[in-house]
């Protein structure tokens, strides 16, 4: 075994802890199917969302960790779409809603595509899912529920469900209300007349023939085989059947699905399968601590995150404490970006064992691409403050300062930095600029700012950030700021119009000494500045 294998077996990062469950699962034997199967599920009635990204990226992290532990065991990741589900309601964000409304209740892959581009609405949304996953470079195999049911690949498992009907009902019925119990069946027949997925009682069962009898929508009794795509299963029995039929080894899900996971696991065992390993991750909260809901619209979309930050920062956010509830709103983005930059910067200098604990290892599968390096030491927070001080409307304004600060840097030589600059301008324009509130300095602060102006004016050309920072400290001490934190907060509020900010030495070095003096002059003499004299 390689040294990396030995280190992986001891690593403490949560993906390695999860992967060890699979190592134990196959400690004495290799999987009979020839590979370890990871799965993520997707309901294609809407577009992919941030939860979709979170589940796939976290599952991928566990898969990567397992590959280091048992490198000779192949792995696969199925992105499974429940596109056989009946369409329950017409989404409010699609065209041709009246047309779609005529097909309510039909499997999504039998509903015409309202966009007119694909074979069905299900095919359209599946294409959106694949495009979404492909845009992040995930390695996966797309699987369609409709394909599995209609091709007959689920037939053997569906016949098992029919044979174990009473046992499955004994698991499900106690979880249902009295009224629902009267009509419940694991099987949802598809009406041969209307094509709709029906929630109806099963009147007769013939396990030997592999058929069920039910009353169709017109009241006529119909006998259908449970094979060949004539029926689908209710989603909890479907989940357990799928685990058994495919031999799923690992699948995680949200904390809200814990009861469903338990039920599906029982059904999987009834059918002769072994439920997958996995864990239940916590759900995201909004800035008020309320559960994020697509219906409420109180969440943060992937598209919104990617307007303000690179995808690597979102992957980092998903990596951190997946079992803890976390607030997911715009204010968390700058910290996520800078944390990512810190982990990347530290990576190359770490010992091999330490690298496995670094989130950057899990984001990049152990190999940090050159394309995310080279930010000239600039943090996202510093870029945001530069955008604020320069009132930047576009990236070119920012690069005017950056080229002077780091003469060798340009959008061509530092493409990742260029992406950060674009993100910083967008974030500044949308979130920082509307909230900037400048205040006038107190007498103590005015005296200190006047002193700081003189100190900055006397700095030698090319003064280093640390030297500038020390001078700022000394000015604060000279003017009686017993807690230097209040002095720096005053600088942020008076000069930048915000309650927090950067290390002033780094900011002055980037923004420029003369430009910082101009900020001080505007604060000390606002009337002159307003008149165009300052």
């Amino acid at each position: 075994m390689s040294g990396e294998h030995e280190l992986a077996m001891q690593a403490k990062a949560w993906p390695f802890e999860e992967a060890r469950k699979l190592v134990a699962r196959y400690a004495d034997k290799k999987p009979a199917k020839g590979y370890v199967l990871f799965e993520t599920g997707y309901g294609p009635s809407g577009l992919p969302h941030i939860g979709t990204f979170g589940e796939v990226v976290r599952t991928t992290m566990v898969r990567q960790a397992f590959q280091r532990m048992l490198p000779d065991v192949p792995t696969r990741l199925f992105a499974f779409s429940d596109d056989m589900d009946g369409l329950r309601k017409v989404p409010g964000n699609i065209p041709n809603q009246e047309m779609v409304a005529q097909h309510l209740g039909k499997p999504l892959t039998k509903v015409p595509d309202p966009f007119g581009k694909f074979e069905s609405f299900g095919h359209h949304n599946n294409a959106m899912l694949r495009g979404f996953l492909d845009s992040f470079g995930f390695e996966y195999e797309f699987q369609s529920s409709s394909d599995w049911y209609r091709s007959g690949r689920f037939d053997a498992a569906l016949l098992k469900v029919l044979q174990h009907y009473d046992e499955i009902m004994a698991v499900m019925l106690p979880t249902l209300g009295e009224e629902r119990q009267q009509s419940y069946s694991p099987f949802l027949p598809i009406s041969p007349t209307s094509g709709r997925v029906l929630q109806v009682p099963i009147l007769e069962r013939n396990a030997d023939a592999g058929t069920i009898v039910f009353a169709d929508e017109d009241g006529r009794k119909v006998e259908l085989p449970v094979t060949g795509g004539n029926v689908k299963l209710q989603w909890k029995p479907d989940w357990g059947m799928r685990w058994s039929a495919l031999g799923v080894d690992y699948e995680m899900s949200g904390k809200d699905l814990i009861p469903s996971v338990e039920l599906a696991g029982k059904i999987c065992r009834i059918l002769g399968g072994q439920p997958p390993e996995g864990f239940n991750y916590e759900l995201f909260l909004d800035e008020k601590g309320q559960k994020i809901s697509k219906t409420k619209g109180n969440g943060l979309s992937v598209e919104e995150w990617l307007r303000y930050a690179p995808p690597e920062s979102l992957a980092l956010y998903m990596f951190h404490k997946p079992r803890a509830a976390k607030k997911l709103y715009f204010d968390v983005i700058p910290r996520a970006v800078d944390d990512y930059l810190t982990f990347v910067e530290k990576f190359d200098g770490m010992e091999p064992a330490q690298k496995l604990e670094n989130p950057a290892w899990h984001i990049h599968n152990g190999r940090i691409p050159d394309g995310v390096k080279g930010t000239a030491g600039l943090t996202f927070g510093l870029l945001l403050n530069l955008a604020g001080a320069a009132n930047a409307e576009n990236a070119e304004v920012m690069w005017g300062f950056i080229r002077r600060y780091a003469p060798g840097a340009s959008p061509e030589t530092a493409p990742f930095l260029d992406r950060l600059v674009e993100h910083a301008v967008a974030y500044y324009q949308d979130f920082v600029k509307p909230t900037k509130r400048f205040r006038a300095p107190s007498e103590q602060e005015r005296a200190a700012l006047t002193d700081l102006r003189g100190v900055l004016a006397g700095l030698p050309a090319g003064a280093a950030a640390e030297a500038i920072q020390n001078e700022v400290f000394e000015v604060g001490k000279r003017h009686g700021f017993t807690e230097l934190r209040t002095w720096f907060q005053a600088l942020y509020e008076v000069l930048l119009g915000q309650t927090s900010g950067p290390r002033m030495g780094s900011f002055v070095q980037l923004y420029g000494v003369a430009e910082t003096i101009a900020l001080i002059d505007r604060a000390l003499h606002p009337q002159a500045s307003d008149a165009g004299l300052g």
Side-chain angles (χ1 to χ4, degrees):
M1 289 292 182
S2 69
E4 188 177 44
H5 161 82
E6 298 297 336
L7 293 174
M9 294 298 290
Q10 303 299 321
K12 297 178 181 179
W14 70 262
F16 288 107
E17 292 180 350
E18 289 299 299
R20 275 191 282 274
K21 297 177 184 177
L22 293 169
V23 172
R25 188 180 180 104
Y26 291 112
D28 302 322
K29 63 183 187 305
K30 289 187 177 181
K33 60 184 178 294
Y35 53 87
V36 168
L37 180 58
F38 296 80
E39 182 180 69
T40 62
Y42 171 67
S45 57
L47 297 176
H49 52 83
I50 206 159
T52 309
F53 174 86
E55 191 163 312
V56 178
V57 75
R58 286 167 172 164
T59 302
T60 296
M61 289 173 177
V62 178
R63 182 187 184 190
Q64 293 169 172
F66 176 80
Q67 289 168 335
R68 298 308 200 281
M69 293 177 171
L70 293 181
D72 58 333
V73 178
T75 64
R76 299 172 73 180
L77 170 58
F78 282 3
F80 205 99
S81 170
D82 289 312
D83 57 12
M84 190 99 166
D85 289 355
L87 179 65
R88 295 181 180 180
K89 63 180 182 179
V90 179
N93 59 347
I94 62 170
N96 299 311
Q97 295 188 22
E98 291 183 6
M99 180 273 289
V100 172
Q102 297 173 22
H103 298 274
L104 283 173
K106 292 183 180 179
L108 287 156
T109 47
K110 293 296 183 181
V111 177
D113 179 16
F115 299 91
K117 296 180 180 179
F118 293 89
E119 179 182 335
S120 72
F121 190 30
H123 286 82
H124 171 274
N125 288 347
N126 286 339
M128 297 302 103
L129 171 66
R130 293 196 301 272
F132 176 83
L133 298 179
D134 291 344
S135 70
F136 294 105
F138 289 121
E139 180 185 333
Y140 69 97
E141 299 171 56
F142 176 78
Q143 304 292 336
S144 159
S145 177
S146 294
D147 288 346
W148 277 83
Y149 272 99
R150 292 171 187 155
S151 69
R153 285 179 288 172
F154 275 157
D155 282 357
L158 291 167
L159 289 171
K160 276 188 181 180
V161 172
L162 187 58
Q163 292 162 6
H164 295 277
Y165 188 94
D166 291 331
E167 294 169 75
I168 292 171
M169 288 289 279
V171 168
M172 291 303 305
L173 288 180
T175 69
L176 306 171
E178 185 175 347
E179 182 178 348
R180 185 74 183 95
Q181 288 180 357
Q182 305 309 311
S183 62
Y184 183 84
S185 164
F187 290 105
L188 299 174
I190 298 174
S191 169
T193 53
S194 70
R196 284 193 278 266
V197 181
L198 303 181
Q199 297 252 8
V200 293
I202 299 306
L203 305 177
E204 300 173 33
R205 291 173 280 125
N206 187 333
D208 292 335
T211 62
I212 55 173
V213 176
F214 63 96
D216 204 350
E217 292 174 294
D218 58 6
R220 182 174 56 90
K221 276 190 177 183
V222 175
E223 183 174 13
L224 279 181
V226 299
T227 53
N230 289 293
V231 306
K232 76 170 298 292
L233 296 181
Q234 298 269 9
W235 82 271
K236 293 171 188 175
D238 180 272
W239 210 6
M241 179 276 293
R242 193 162 79 213
W243 287 347
S244 174
L246 302 182
V248 177
D249 294 299
Y250 192 89
E251 182 165 3
M252 62 178 68
S253 57
K255 188 178 180 181
D256 56 333
L257 294 182
I258 289 176
S260 301
V261 170
E262 293 173 350
L263 289 172
K266 291 178 181 178
I267 292 168
C268 179
R269 290 188 182 93
I270 288 171
L271 298 177
Q274 181 182 5
E277 309 296 335
F279 75 92
N280 299 101
Y281 51 81
E282 262 288 2
L283 305 179
F284 295 121
L285 308 174
D286 66 13
E287 57 188 316
K288 297 177 182 177
Q290 298 178 337
K291 177 183 170 184
I292 282 178
S293 162
K294 285 189 289 183
T295 305
K296 290 180 183 177
N298 62 335
L300 178 62
S301 72
V302 173
E303 292 76 18
E304 288 170 325
W305 186 292
L306 297 183
R307 170 170 164 75
Y308 305 114
E312 295 86 354
S313 63
L314 181 55
L316 173 66
Y317 189 80
M318 296 298 174
F319 174 87
H320 279 315
K321 298 180 180 178
R323 293 182 181 87
K326 293 187 292 186
K327 293 183 178 181
L328 180 61
Y329 60 106
F330 294 102
D331 285 4
V332 306
I333 292 176
R335 173 68 180 273
V337 177
D338 278 341
D339 283 350
Y340 169 74
L341 295 176
T342 298
F343 288 123
V344 167
E345 182 181 352
K346 290 179 178 179
F347 189 81
D348 287 341
M350 287 180 152
E351 295 297 322
Q354 294 175 316
K355 288 182 176 180
L356 299 185
E357 310 299 338
N358 186 323
W361 188 98
H362 300 273
I363 294 169
H364 296 293
N365 197 15
R367 300 171 189 85
I368 310 299
D370 291 337
V372 301
K373 299 176 182 178
T375 60
L378 295 174
T379 66
F380 192 66
L382 196 54
L383 291 173
L384 282 177
N385 285 292
L386 174 61
N391 197 20
E393 299 285 341
N394 54 57
E396 187 52 40
V397 171
M398 300 278 283
W399 274 106
F401 293 94
I402 295 170
R403 286 188 182 94
R404 184 180 60 189
Y405 170 81
S410 70
E412 294 72 31
T413 61
F416 190 70
L417 176 57
D418 191 42
R419 286 167 55 196
L420 292 183
V421 169
E422 295 278 2
H423 290 313
V425 171
Y427 193 94
Y428 165 71
Q429 288 291 329
D430 291 354
F431 296 108
V432 180
K433 186 176 181 179
T435 63
K436 288 176 81 72
R437 299 289 183 272
F438 293 90
R439 68 169 176 83
S442 67
E443 287 305 311
Q444 179 191 24
E445 293 163 352
R446 177 177 289 276
L449 284 168
T450 302
D451 188 358
L452 179 60
R453 186 194 189 285
V455 168
L456 293 178
L459 285 173
E466 197 60 37
I468 300 171
Q469 182 77 4
N470 290 337
E471 293 291 353
V472 179
F473 263 112
E474 292 303 318
V475 170
K477 290 177 183 177
R478 281 200 296 274
H479 290 271
F481 288 93
T482 53
E483 289 192 19
L484 287 173
R485 181 176 55 186
T486 60
W487 162 230
F488 284 100
Q489 184 164 350
L491 292 174
Y492 303 145
E493 292 174 352
V494 173
L495 302 183
L496 301 178
Q498 55 200 53
T499 56
S500 61
R503 278 180 65 84
M504 287 305 296
S506 300
F507 171 75
V508 173
Q509 186 185 34
L510 173 61
Y511 187 52
V513 171
E515 287 78 4
T516 305
I517 289 173
L519 287 181
I520 295 173
D521 287 342
R522 282 196 290 272
L524 295 175
H525 310 290
Q527 297 85 356
S529 297
D530 292 342
L533 301 175

